[in-house]
Amino acid sequence: MNLPNKLTMFRVILIPFFVVFLLVDITSYDKWIALAIFMIASLTDLLDGKIARKYNLVTNFGKFMDPLADKLLVCSALICLIELAKIPSWIVIVIIAREFIISGFRLVASDNGVVIAASYWGKFKTTFQMIMICLMIADIEALKLLTTITMWVAVALTVVSLADYLIKNKDVMRETK
């Protein structure tokens, strides 16, 4: 269990705490605690990959668990934001559907011996989704327009990154056996 894998597991462990502080009325600072937890978890996503690549600590566990931890964090946040009436459910459906499609696509590619690396579009998408989630949790009136713009950019990048993956890797879906 190297440092990047520990950071990934830490991110997974933070998710229930994030959800509780976001949804349960415990203190007057709940949303700020939830926001801090989400930001820390998001930063571990950035750090674990950089550390793993820089120090050659890439493992099969990390390859599997890191993207799963990211999806769990983002999907948990988005589902909670539906409950809090901060985001339309159809947008969350589009985002989660994209994740299922890409995961399935990667599974088929892996079965054919092909590894599909994360694209820049996918990285931009994740960045905008995380910024959007932070803005929605903070729910600052003066930032409503920025929050709305960020949401639409995140949705657009979700669709563009899906199309990019499918177009660049269309040969993966062809039968090779």
Side-chain angles (χ1 to χ4, degrees):
M1 185 62 68
N2 61 33
L3 180 59
N5 291 342
K6 287 177 182 175
L7 288 170
T8 297
M9 291 310 299
F10 180 63
R11 183 162 64 256
V12 171
I13 291 166
L14 286 177
I15 294 169
F17 295 98
F18 162 71
V19 169
V20 167
F21 279 104
L22 191 58
L23 296 181
V24 178
D25 192 17
I26 301 170
T27 75
S28 58
Y29 302 104
D30 290 340
K31 81 173 182 180
W32 301 111
I33 295 169
L35 179 59
I37 292 170
F38 184 82
M39 291 173 77
I40 290 166
S42 297
L43 288 174
T44 67
D45 178 34
L46 180 69
L47 284 175
D48 64 9
K50 286 190 182 295
I51 293 169
R53 286 184 296 277
K54 183 174 181 176
Y55 296 103
N56 197 25
L57 297 172
V58 176
T59 64
N60 286 334
F61 176 83
K63 287 179 193 176
F64 169 76
M65 201 60 201
D66 181 60
L68 182 59
D70 298 344
K71 287 170 183 39
L72 287 171
L73 177 64
V74 170
C75 290
S76 296
L78 292 171
I79 291 166
C80 290
L81 290 169
I82 292 172
E83 185 167 328
L84 296 171
K86 305 270 187 209
I87 190 169
S89 57
W90 74 267
I91 289 176
V92 175
I93 291 168
V94 167
I95 291 170
I96 292 175
R98 183 252 184 224
E99 298 306 327
F100 274 103
I101 292 166
I102 294 299
S103 294
F105 204 69
R106 282 192 165 131
L107 188 61
V108 170
S110 174
D111 192 41
N112 290 326
V114 177
V115 175
I116 299 176
S119 73
Y120 286 108
W121 287 112
K123 291 177 183 187
F124 291 144
K125 177 255 330 164
T126 300
T127 301
F128 269 88
Q129 285 176 356
M130 289 181 171
I131 292 168
M132 172 192 73
I133 290 166
C134 289
L135 288 168
M136 287 181 175
I137 293 168
D139 195 24
I140 298 170
E141 189 61 39
L143 299 177
K144 288 286 188 203
L145 179 60
L146 178 62
T147 302
T148 301
I149 291 168
T150 304
M151 179 184 72
W152 288 112
V153 171
V155 170
L157 289 172
T158 297
V159 173
V160 168
S161 69
L162 173 62
D164 180 60
Y165 273 108
L166 296 177
I167 291 166
K168 285 183 179 173
N169 299 288
K170 62 184 175 289
D171 293 338
V172 167
M173 296 307 284
R174 294 200 177 115
E175 287 291 327
T176 59
K177 295 180 182 178

